[in-house]
């Protein structure tokens, strides 16, 4: 039985602090939540990130120190293979790209996160949509920083 493999997520020298202390666990949890939103009893058996994700990070200069950059938004698109088991459908192997964007990362804003779970697509397709998606979650009032 394959095991989880998130090495392609964590190997690149890219800041993932917005995902917490354990980015691999955070991404796995996001994938599980996406699947359970579709099928409540979905159990993820293993996940493998297939290649280095596409990353997108945005920020602004600190108002009091022009040398300091404040990260205001971040996103990633990670191609995966996984095994999921459900009561009704048994075991399935799924391929696709899991994307995650977060905005309002610089306090005192209220952070907003959103996941996309795109099956049967490649990293190029998801990467092209990442910039639009990172702004899509700003909300109706449009007050999130760019």
């Amino acid at each position: 039985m394959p095991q989880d493999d998130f090495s392609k997520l964590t190997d690149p020298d890219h800041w993932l602090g917005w995902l917490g202390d354990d980015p691999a666990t955070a991404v796995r949890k996001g994938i599980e939540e996406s699947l359970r939103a579709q099928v409540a009893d979905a159990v993820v058996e293993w996940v493998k990130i297939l290649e280095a994700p596409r990353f997108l990070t945005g920020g602004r200069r600190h108002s009091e120190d022009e040398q300091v950059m404040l990260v205001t938004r971040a996103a990633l698109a990670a191609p995966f293979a996984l095994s999921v088991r459900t009561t009704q459908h048994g075991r399935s192997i799924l391929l696709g790209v899991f994307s995650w964007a977060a905005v309002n990362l610089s306090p005192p804003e209220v952070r907003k996160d959103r996941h996309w779970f795109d099956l049967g697509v490649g990293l190029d397709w998801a990467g092209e949509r990442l910039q639009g998606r990172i702004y899509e979650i700003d909300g109706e009032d449009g007050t999130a920083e760019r």
Side-chain angles (χ1 to χ4, degrees), residues 19 22 29 42 44 55 60 68 70 73-74 122 127 132 141:
L19 293 172
D22 187 351
K29 183 178 176 187
V44 176
F55 300 105
R60 63 175 167 77
V68 174
L70 299 174
R73 62 184 66 239
D141 61 3

Side-chain angles (χ1 to χ4, degrees), residues 2 7 13 23 28 37 49 59 94 113:
S7 59
D13 188 22
R28 190 181 207 287
I49 302 301
L94 304 178
D113 292 70

Side-chain angles (χ1 to χ4, degrees), residues 54-117:
R54 301 278 166 83
F55 300 105
L56 190 58
T57 307
R60 63 175 167 77
R61 297 212 182 272
H62 191 281
S63 61
E64 296 173 13
D65 185 350
E66 289 292 316
Q67 299 300 314
V68 174
M69 186 69 115
L70 299 174
V71 175
T72 58
R73 62 184 66 239
L76 65 81
F80 67 82
L82 65 80
S83 175
V84 62
R85 188 174 26 85
T86 67
T87 303
Q88 183 177 6
H89 301 288
R91 176 176 290 130
S92 298
I93 304 298
L94 304 178
L95 297 170
V97 179
F98 174 74
S99 299
W100 183 343
V103 300
N104 299 336
L105 296 177
S106 180
E109 300 292 334
V110 176
R111 178 176 168 151
K112 294 181 185 178
D113 292 70
R114 183 159 174 203
H115 301 157
W116 292 265
F117 194 80

